[in-house]
Each structure stands twice: as structure tokens, then as C-alpha cells.
Amino acid sequence: MRQRHHQGGDRGWTAARKGVLSRLRFTSLRLRLVVVFGLVALTAAVSASGIAYWLNREAVLTRAQDAVLHDFEQEMQNRAGALPEHPTQDELQHTAGQMAGSDQRFSVLLVASNADGRTVYGSSGGLSGFSLQDVPVSLRTAVNKRQKVDGADKHPYHLYWQRVVDHDTPYLVAGTRVIGGGPTGYMLKSLEPEAKDLNSLSWSLGIATGLALIGSALLAQAAATTVLKPVQRLGAAARRLGEGKLDTRLRVSGTDELADLSRTFNKAAEALEKRVADMAARDEASRRFVADMSHELRTPLTAITAVTEVLEEELEAETGSMDPMIEPAVRLVVSETRRLNDLVENLMEVTRFDAGTARLVLDDVDIADQITACIDARAWLDAVELDADRGIHARLDPRRLDVILANLIGNALKHGGSPVRVSVREADDSLVIEVQDHGPGIPEDVLPHVFDRFYKASASRPRSEGSGLGLSIALENAHIHGGEITAANSPDSGAVFTLRLPRHTSGPGEQPAEGERKPGDDTGQDRGADSKGDA
């Protein structure tokens, strides 16, 4: 029972150790270095200690054994050999006591036959001392076995020995017979002093192994610190570089591999900084060009728009003053002028978003009223179904919400067909507006690009009625509110655009920048920028 309990404790300790190791298993380079150094040092120390212990053990036991056997053999020749062929028990007892008094202090047992043919025994320890039962049977058999006498072996009997353990104490047992006739002698010598010496040696070697292991751990820690400090600095520099601090550089010292790595990092960071600066300059120049072009176009476009409005009024008046031959051309001019005006306004809106100058003018808005106003202003009442309860309020920018709704609903009417369903619901502290049409849906390869600027799904039909910016502007207006727009296909039919806005937008309550006008509603925006063609 005690043995089983000990084994269970070992299993529990092993399981706990495995649990700790599983959490620490090679989680850092420092730990790996310490473990590797420790394993190398432990292997070397255990190997060296094992070899040293084995060599010293054999040397100590062999030296003690040879001294005892030599002394026992001399005593057998000098004292046991002097006994008569058939000694008495008293003679055996006396001789055994004399033999045990040698320098080695071993116990002696003499066995012989007296004159009557009976076996008599003589022990150095008396009747309770060393007895024949203490001698292993195999040793007794070897001692009493007569060997064949030939040129290589001139004696029929030899000295034999064996190491035994009795009650955790090691002993040396030996036996031989007197050559030429005489008693058989057995010797018992305790090896406990040698065992204590070897035990002390093992403890010393164990302590040396432990010190070597501790030293290796300290050495590994020092090596890991030396190696990992540059790596940690490199990691911190890479993080700063990832955060946009492109002027980050490492201090280079030395000529080793880590120094080469630092120099390579500095060169890469320098090249990246230059490349980003060039790209930023080109991007800024592009934005400036678009902004300047848009502003420059507004002046002549204003005059052109005024003229086209007059022409449009003449067309609607039906007074007959307009030549029927040029009426189609006038209608085309009016349509294209309106489209050009929308494009310029959208480009200006995009440049404001890119420059970060777009601002929110927040107000408390009834969502149902806002959607109704958007639909009514564009004469979409017959084509749009509204599912929105009145009384749902949110703090938003009404103008930008109108832009979002106009682009989403107009896009659904153009590409999905009526009826378009607009539904509003509340989700936690957010507002969800869904615009669903009943068309064939959006192609899967176009779906990821529906919010890209100027994206054309078909290269063969690059021109469409829309500017290709409507959905992109709608998404930017959602982002400035802290919201999002997603596009998907309904399991039933058609596409679904989902607008999510926070009900309480926190933004700067500033008036729009000077010259900012409400951009034209890009209701002609092609889904996916021409994914489904023009009517």
C-alpha cells in the first residue's frame, strides 16, 4: 500500500510538471536558450560524473578487495596450512581466531574432517559468528570443485570470491582449500567503509552537477540578454515604424550579424520613408489638381448651367420657338451639363474627404421624416416602399444622411428596379437602414468593389450615366458619422445595402467650409460602376 501511494504521488507530480512545461514550452527565445544551455550542461555534467563515479568505484572496490584477498590467501597458507590433515574443532577454532586477527579484520570460517570422519567447523566469531549458511551456495560449489590439473593450471583448487549485500550492507565473501590436503576456509569482509566513501563521492559529484547546471543557466541568461537586447530594440523599432514613425532608426555598433541586421533595417526604413514621402507628394499633387480643376470648372460651368436652364425652360414652354431639328441636341446638352455639374460637385466632395476637411453639422433628426423628404424631393414615392415607424430619432447631419439615402435608393431603382423597400430598425444604440431592390442582384466578382471609386465591372463599357462616385461618397458620409455601409445579395432576390449609424454621433458641430455646396445626388451611379449596364 505504501509503495502504491508513492507511485501515485509521483504520477501526480509528473502531471503537474507537464502542465507547467506545456504553458512554458518554447514561448520565448530566452527560455529556449536557457533550456538548451541547461540540457547541454546537464548532459555533460551527468556524463562526466557518471564516468568519474564508475572509475572511482571500481578503483576503490578493487583496491580493498585485492588487499583482503591477498591477506586471506597468506593466512590460509601460513596458518591453515600448518594444521594437521584431520584437525579437531578446537584447533580449527583457535586457527580461525588467529586468522581473523590480521590487519584486514575479516571473519573466518574453517571446515575440515576430524579423525572420526565427521565435519567440524571453526569460526572466528564463535557459534553465533560467521557460519556456512552465510556463504552463497554457488561460491561453496566453486570452492569444493576439483579442477583438472594440466600445464596451464597446476592446482586442483583455487581462491574464489563474490560480493553480496545483506541488510543494505555490502560484503566480500571468499573461499579456498589448502593445497595438498587440509581445511577449507571462508572469509567474510564488510565493505561498508568503502560504500560510505563512494556515497560521499556521489554526493560531491551531484553537488558539482547542480552547480554546473546553475552556472549554465546563469551563462544562458547572460548570453540571452546579449543576443536579445538588439532583437528587442529591433522589434520596438519595427513597431514604431508600423505606427507611422518612418524616421525610426537603430543605433549600429559592432560588425556581427546583429549589427548587419540593424544596418539592413535602417536602409529599409530609409527607403520606405523616401517611398512614402514620394507617394504622399504625388497623392497631394493629385488631390490638389482635382480640387483646383473642380474649382476652375465651377465658374464656366455656372454660366453654362444658367444657359442650359434657359434652354430647358424653352423646351418645357412648348411655344414653338425651338427649332424641332435642334431640340434633340438641346436636350443632350442639358442632360450632359447636369451630369458634368454632378461630377464636379462629387469630385469636390471627394477632395474634402481626402483632405480631412469634411465636417458634420449635427441635428436631432426623425429618421422616417428624413427618408420621406428624400423620396418626395426626387419624386420616388410611387417606386419606394417605406417601413419605418415615426418617432425614431438620431443625432445626425441631415444633409449628409440625405446624400447617403439618395445614392442608395437611386442606385437600387436604376439597377434593381422597383419596388425598392426601405426599412428602419433599432439595434442596441445603433440605427439600421436597409435598402432592398427586386433585381437580379450584384455579381459575386463585383460585390467587393461596389464602393470603389470609378470602378468599372466591364472594360468594354467604360462610360455610364453616373459619375462612379455616388456609393463611394455615401460610404465616406457613413464613416464620418462613425457608421458603415455593407452590400450583399438577398436570399430571395435583389441586392441589399445596409446602413448602420450610431444614434448619438459625436462630431464637430461646425458649418461647412466656405464654398461647400450640397453635391448633386448621383442617382445615375452605376452599381459597381457599370456592373449591369445602362438603360
Side-chain angles (χ1 to χ4, degrees), residues 164-171 190-196 199:
V164 297
V165 177
D166 185 20
H167 296 91
D168 296 328
T169 302
Y171 292 94
S190 173
L191 298 177
E192 187 174 4
E194 288 75 13
K196 290 182 178 179
N199 191 36

Side-chain angles (χ1 to χ4, degrees), residues 59-74:
V60 170
L61 293 178
T62 301
R63 184 170 59 251
Q65 174 182 293
D66 291 346
V68 171
L69 293 178
H70 180 267
D71 197 4
F72 174 65
E73 189 174 17
Q74 290 295 325

Side-chain angles (χ1 to χ4, degrees), residues 132-154:
L132 196 61
Q133 286 73 23
D134 297 327
V135 180
V137 176
S138 58
L139 181 62
R140 279 183 276 164
T141 302
V143 169
N144 292 316
K145 183 178 181 181
R146 184 181 180 87
Q147 304 294 329
K148 184 179 179 181
V149 178
D150 54 23
D153 193 355
K154 300 179 180 180

